[in-house]
Amino acid sequence: MDWDALGRTLRGALLRPGSPGFEDARKLFNPLNDDHVPAAVAQCESPSDVSAAVRAGGNKVPLAARSGGHSYTGYSAPHGGLVVDLRRMSAVAVEADGTATVGAGASLRDVYTTLGQANRCLPAGSCFTVGVAGVTLGGGIGVLQRKFGLTIDHLVAAEIVTADGRTLKVSPARTPDLFWGLRGGGGGNFGIVTQFTFATDPAPALTVFVVAFPSGKVTEVLSAWQPWISAAPRELWANLNISGGDPPGCRVAGCFVGPSSACHPLLDDLIARCGVLPSRRTVHDRDFFNAMRFFAGRPDRESFVASSRVLNAPTADPAAVTSLLTGRAGMALIIDPLGGAVADVGAQQTAFPHRSAFATAQVYASATAASEAEVTKSVAAVVAGLAAQGIGGGYVNYIDPALPDWPESYYGQNLGRLRSVAHDYDPDKVFDFTQGLSRV
């Protein structure tokens, strides 16, 4: 690999070990991935830079795109490989018709800031430092999904650099199979997206809330929350966050499209169904940007181990779910409801297969380098416990190399078509990685 030649080709910088700025540029969100040391980081400033990096590195060293750097297992920093860093390609522009053009290196903070200034909204994730590219390519679940759908449901076009270094304009008319695959087929499988075009909606008035319950009442709250959210209007999204402990505790947090005066009766109904008085109830009216910021309270970096499952229907045994978190301090089971606009789209209309599911469940646990192995086993035990209750599947944006049958879990009935699209656009496996479609 001729690194000097690549460095001369790029308009942006090529950083190698020992170069000023390399250590900061290579590190991802999760410090547990700090042992992933790439051979170089290409700080691309244009699609031509991305193309040059792909042409130079293809089949010579492992390649991976990096935007937010939130890949749970650090796939966006291949050890000994080339990181195609998109963060300098982060421009966000909103046209008069509400269409938003977003550079693939933009963070959700970038996206929400510009959209908020234009009084527009786009359903996406909640953590401000997450990159829009990863969110979108995996599907894009978030606090507005029951009303407005997934992020991919608003994608109208994209620009991508393919394995042979070409830059393609992707749309339903020009490249229908690739466009389909980009909407839920996961990051890093077909090429490196450099730009997205989204249809946005007028920004509505929103209500954000948190209802916390005393420890030891998880079974009662989960038993009530499931039918409550199933029957709720699509304007309401509310997840259940179960925190491990002895006994476990829980809180319900969410977002309502509308004023707090219309949200309060819905929360009163939940509390009545639970038969448990909350220990805290916080409700605020917010505009779009400040509602998104309400959910964004995370540090710049965080050490954790995580995995996921998908509930096709409400669990029949809330007590058994509660028991999985008993004694597991530092762990959370976060159940995010689907339904509403998510289910308006067929399971095979996009690559995201979980359209008719009840909820996604994320298992998330704090860890250190010293405790990582033990915490990983604990997370796997909870995942296995959920599977024993018939809760299978997984969300590709919560990627986990230990998840059993991960190709079927992430992609379901869409796996065969996704594999075919990946082969068509990357037959030589330039973008191969441990959980890439080239492996299945």
Side-chain angles (χ1 to χ4, degrees):
M1 177 72 191
D2 190 341
W3 297 113
D4 291 336
L6 175 59
R8 290 191 297 269
T9 302
L10 297 177
R11 190 171 75 184
L14 181 70
L15 304 179
R16 301 290 312 285
S19 301
F22 174 79
E23 282 299 307
D24 287 339
R26 75 169 183 86
K27 289 180 179 178
L28 305 178
F29 177 73
N30 190 341
L32 295 183
N33 297 319
D34 281 355
D35 59 345
H36 296 212
V37 183
V41 177
Q43 295 183 313
C44 298
E45 296 185 355
S46 67
S48 62
D49 273 1
V50 175
S51 178
V54 170
R55 291 178 189 274
N59 288 133
K60 298 183 183 70
V61 295
L63 279 177
R66 185 261 168 87
S67 53
H70 281 251
S71 170
Y72 279 8
T73 52
Y75 288 145
S76 46
H79 190 72
L82 174 59
V83 175
V84 183
D85 190 337
L86 304 169
R87 286 175 292 175
R88 295 187 178 187
M89 300 169 63
S90 60
V92 182
V94 181
E95 306 301 328
D97 64 356
T99 300
T101 302
V102 181
S107 68
L108 291 185
R109 178 188 291 276
D110 298 328
V111 174
Y112 292 153
T113 297
T114 302
L115 289 178
Q117 292 169 349
N119 202 31
R120 308 293 298 184
C121 84
L122 176 74
S126 54
C127 179
F128 266 23
T129 58
V130 164
V132 69
V135 169
T136 303
L137 296 173
I141 66 174
V143 303
L144 295 176
Q145 65 189 17
R146 284 171 51 84
K147 175 63 176 178
F148 295 106
L150 303 174
T151 310
I152 55 173
D153 298 331
H154 294 254
L155 184 67
V156 296
E159 181 182 78
I160 187 172
V161 174
T162 54
D164 56 5
R166 291 181 300 154
T167 300
L168 299 182
K169 302 292 186 180
V170 181
S171 69
R174 291 181 176 181
T175 52
D177 280 348
L178 182 55
F179 182 74
W180 175 87
L182 293 181
R183 292 182 296 159
N189 280 313
F190 312 108
I192 298 178
V193 177
T194 56
Q195 188 178 81
F196 299 91
T197 303
F198 297 104
T200 67
D201 292 288
L206 299 170
T207 302
V208 296
F209 58 85
V210 176
V211 182
F213 294 90
S215 296
K217 299 297 182 180
V218 174
T219 299
E220 292 89 338
V221 176
L222 177 56
S223 298
W225 174 82
Q226 291 187 127
W228 173 75
I229 195 63
S230 296
R234 60 178 56 198
E235 286 77 14
L236 179 69
W237 178 93
N239 73 358
L240 178 62
N241 187 317
I242 304 171
S243 54
D246 195 7
C250 68
R251 68 181 185 271
V252 173
C255 185
F256 176 72
V257 182
S260 59
S261 58
C263 181
H264 276 294
L266 295 169
L267 300 182
D268 293 341
D269 180 41
L270 170 64
I271 293 167
R273 290 173 184 247
C274 292
V276 178
L277 289 177
S279 55
R280 177 169 60 97
R281 174 171 171 164
T282 303
V283 182
H284 298 291
D285 290 282
R286 290 284 187 268
D287 60 21
F288 170 72
F289 176 80
N290 285 300
M292 297 305 102
R293 186 168 62 178
F294 179 83
F295 296 100
R298 291 189 178 183
D300 290 336
R301 303 186 79 204
E302 184 174 355
S303 298
F304 65 92
V305 176
S307 188
S308 69
R309 283 293 183 185
V310 175
L311 287 77
N312 287 324
T315 178
D317 195 348
V321 172
T322 302
S323 69
L324 294 173
L325 277 294
T326 301
R328 299 186 190 274
M331 181 179 291
L333 176 64
I334 306 163
I335 308 176
D336 294 323
L338 297 170
V342 177
D344 290 345
V345 179
Q348 293 180 291
Q349 286 181 251
T350 67
F352 180 85
H354 309 299
R355 293 290 184 169
S356 61
F358 166 63
T360 58
Q362 181 179 189
V363 184
Y364 194 99
S366 299
T368 63
S371 68
E372 181 180 4
E374 179 182 350
V375 172
T376 299
K377 290 180 181 178
S378 187
V379 167
V382 173
V383 170
L386 293 171
Q389 297 177 46
I391 301 172
Y395 179 40
V396 70
N397 277 354
Y398 302 149
I399 203 160
D400 173 13
L403 187 68
D405 302 321
W406 59 264
E408 291 78 12
S409 294
Y410 295 145
Y411 304 121
Q413 61 190 317
N414 293 329
L415 178 59
R417 185 178 176 187
L418 282 167
R419 185 189 296 116
S420 177
V421 176
H423 180 268
D424 287 345
Y425 285 92
D426 186 13
D428 298 323
K429 302 182 180 181
V430 169
F431 298 110
D432 177 57
F433 65 101
T434 302
Q435 286 183 283
L437 284 167
S438 60
R439 297 289 180 98
V440 296

